[in-house]
Amino acid sequence: MSTTVRPLSYDIADIGLADKGLDRMEWAAREMPVLALIEARFRETRPLEGLRIAAALHVTTETANLVKTLLAGGAQVALCASNPLSTQDDVAAALVKHYNVPVYAVKGEDTERYYAHIHAVLDTRPHITMDDGMDLVATLHTQRQELLDHVIGGTEETTTGVIRLKAMAAQAKLRFPVVAVNDARTKHLFDNRYGTGQSTIDGILRATNVLLAGKNFVVAGYGWCSRGIAMRAAGMGAHVIVTEVDPLRALEAVMDGYRVMPMVEAARIGHIFCSATGDIHVVDRPHFQVMRDGAILANSGHFDVEINLEALAEMAVEVKRVRDYLDEYTLPDGRRLYVAGEGRLINLAAAEGHPSAVMDMSFANQALCVDYLRQHAATLENRVYSVPEPIDREIAALKLQAMEIQIDTLTPEQEAYLHEWSMGTH
Ligand code: ADE
């Protein structure tokens, strides 16, 4: 008798967690009014009818609400994780059980399973890709090129993904247009800054429960994510030190009131280190060599490359897990360094990612950009596009409205003045 191998319809940790996941999804939805408005609009007009979307995103309560919005618009969505350690298993289960979404994501999955999951969502032959970090698009372009003809466009959620996509487009390797959701002001000014700021501190605290007040807190990088981290660490009484390679950003950090110095100097005095640079080995062997006993190392950048964990493991005489999400590396001279969340993005590994209220805007951008691609993809080139300004402004206006905040409008006189050049000094 021959057995038919049926395609896997989902791969999650435990379907029994579905009801808990649904409750948490609904809790998150209370803070996502803009997305709710778009969902209601989509439910009426069904603009995404027949569209197949393959999404590689952090599988969180917020993402689940985005998926629900896309379903309301008529799309079919398959979802996998964009990081092996960021999946909320109850949410994955809720999407499978309560929304019939094929989800392929298990918290703690190894690299092989992570990529098997990416292939599984690609097996749905997507028209649109929705990526967070560009692993989906990279896999599609390198190993699944036979699927490229179906794809009309994609969206990218994060800074790292946008950098990778732009590198790909510069080499003329990108085979469809991608909208850089990250570049919307209603995304990076809020999600990257306030979202990463709060959730990174949350992750470090859940992993360690250390007091921040009075500690030397070293932030590597001073982009929007790092700014948020520095701001919130300072708000809790830490002495913030920023390391940078960009003179302008370094200057901004100085004038924002932080100490700025090279990492090798910061390494000697830091109690807690958090990287969010998007680059590799920002915290490396020479830094481990001079760090104080008990230093805590965390990363909030997209990939787990910012802390050189291979070098640290080589240097260590012993590695042991001392708490959930906290590993102790003992060096030959007896110093102990503590790595939180395996060097993966700490806000999603040890905490729950950005709060819903900021993801509301990020995912409103995602939803509206999918609709934009549906309408305009045929006229777009194979490159990276910014989110159209009207979408960004509409989301800001809707968010203010949901927050019951009114703002002024220009008077006709003021409007005219802004288009006038002849009126100067009185
Ligand atoms: N990235 C950061 N926080 C997130 C969240 N809560 N959901 C999805 N993606 C995220």
Side-chain angles (χ1 to χ4, degrees):
M1 198 179 75
S2 72
T3 47
T4 321
V5 182
R6 300 176 64 195
L8 195 64
S9 58
Y10 61 86
D11 186 21
I12 59 170
D14 181 1
I15 195 76
L17 300 172
D19 294 350
K20 179 182 172 212
L22 184 64
D23 285 346
R24 292 202 317 109
M25 256 177 84
E26 287 171 0
W27 171 252
R30 297 163 66 102
E31 291 264 281
M32 304 184 84
V34 179
L35 198 60
L37 276 172
I38 295 167
E39 182 182 335
R41 194 195 297 171
F42 276 9
R43 201 176 296 289
E44 288 260 296
T45 55
R46 304 280 290 176
L48 312 181
E49 198 74 67
L51 215 56
R52 291 190 299 269
I53 299 175
L57 297 171
H58 301 296
V59 180
T60 64
T61 51
E62 292 73 28
T63 298
N65 280 297
L66 169 63
V67 170
K68 198 168 149 257
T69 302
L70 300 170
L71 296 177
Q76 293 165 43
V77 184
L79 176 66
C80 66
S82 57
N83 183 290
L85 212 48
S86 62
T87 298
Q88 298 171 4
D89 288 322
D90 57 340
V91 172
L95 283 171
V96 171
K97 179 171 167 193
H98 296 292
Y99 293 93
N100 283 324
V101 174
V103 181
Y104 304 86
V106 177
K107 187 171 176 90
E109 61 198 16
D110 61 17
T111 310
E112 195 184 332
R113 197 170 183 191
Y114 172 79
Y115 277 103
H117 287 165
I118 288 189
H119 280 282
V121 299
L122 287 175
D123 286 342
T124 62
R125 295 177 294 116
H127 302 116
I128 298 229
T129 62
M130 195 174 264
D131 218 346
D132 186 333
M134 215 205 83
D135 284 344
L136 184 73
V137 169
T139 306
L140 181 56
H141 280 73
T142 52
Q143 294 168 50
R144 303 299 300 273
Q145 294 175 354
E146 80 280 4
L147 300 173
L148 280 165
D149 286 345
H150 300 289
V151 181
I152 62 165
T155 62
E156 170 54 55
E157 171 75 7
T158 203
T159 318
T160 294
V162 172
I163 290 169
R164 290 179 80 190
L165 281 163
K166 286 185 176 164
M168 207 175 165
Q171 292 173 19
K173 295 271 165 60
L174 187 63
R175 296 271 305 275
F176 51 80
V178 180
V179 181
V181 166
N182 186 69
D183 290 355
R185 283 180 294 167
T186 47
K187 201 281 184 180
H188 66 263
L189 293 180
F190 300 91
D191 168 318
N192 299 27
R193 180 167 39 173
Y194 303 111
T196 310
Q198 178 168 321
S199 62
T200 298
I201 300 297
D202 186 14
I204 292 173
L205 294 183
R206 290 199 207 192
T208 64
N209 199 29
V210 293
L211 182 73
L212 294 190
K215 296 283 191 335
N216 292 336
F217 192 110
V218 180
V219 182
Y222 205 59
W224 288 109
C225 293
S226 314
R227 281 163 213 236
I229 299 167
M231 179 170 62
R232 294 302 179 231
M236 292 189 76
H239 305 293
V240 173
I241 297 166
V242 171
T243 69
E244 246 304 339
V245 291
D246 180 305
L248 268 161
R249 286 182 170 181
L251 197 55
E252 278 188 274
V254 172
M255 299 219 181
D256 285 345
Y258 306 122
R259 293 177 71 191
V260 173
M261 62 184 76
M263 180 57 90
V264 75
E265 273 177 44
R268 292 178 191 282
I269 54 178
H271 296 102
I272 302 169
F273 296 79
C274 187
S275 54
T277 67
D279 214 337
I280 193 165
H281 298 171
V282 176
V283 187
D284 208 346
R285 200 180 283 267
H287 311 128
F288 304 139
Q289 267 154 359
V290 297
M291 281 178 183
R292 64 168 80 223
D293 180 33
I296 293 167
L297 316 180
N299 166 53
S300 207
H302 185 79
F303 287 118
D304 61 341
V305 296
E306 305 211 11
I307 305 170
N308 189 348
L309 287 178
E310 291 79 30
L312 185 57
E314 264 172 43
M315 288 166 72
V317 290
E318 193 190 353
V319 183
K320 89 172 180 226
R321 179 142 300 180
V322 289
R323 289 167 57 98
D324 287 348
Y325 308 113
L326 197 65
D327 295 329
E328 177 186 76
Y329 288 71
T330 305
L331 301 180
D333 59 9
R335 281 178 304 125
R336 290 152 303 169
L337 304 184
Y338 294 91
V339 176
E342 300 173 23
R344 298 198 188 275
L345 18 76
I346 190 63
N347 60 337
L348 282 140
E352 294 170 60
H354 303 349
S356 322
V358 285
M359 295 313 294
D360 187 27
M361 289 189 279
S362 311
F363 285 166
N365 274 291
Q366 286 282 6
L368 294 184
C369 286
V370 168
D371 192 28
Y372 177 82
L373 280 169
R374 173 193 62 86
Q375 294 175 63
H376 300 283
T379 61
L380 301 179
E381 293 164 21
N382 296 343
R383 62 179 178 85
V384 181
Y385 284 85
S386 292
V387 172
E389 174 83 14
I391 292 183
D392 215 355
R393 297 185 78 80
E394 182 191 358
I395 291 170
L398 290 174
K399 190 70 176 175
L400 281 171
Q401 191 185 317
M403 295 167 87
E404 298 180 356
I405 294 170
Q406 272 99 43
I407 60 170
D408 290 325
T409 43
L410 294 172
T411 64
E413 182 191 23
Q414 289 170 331
E415 184 76 56
Y417 184 80
L418 292 178
H419 296 94
E420 170 62 57
W421 60 268
S422 64
M423 244 195 281
T425 308
H426 276 283

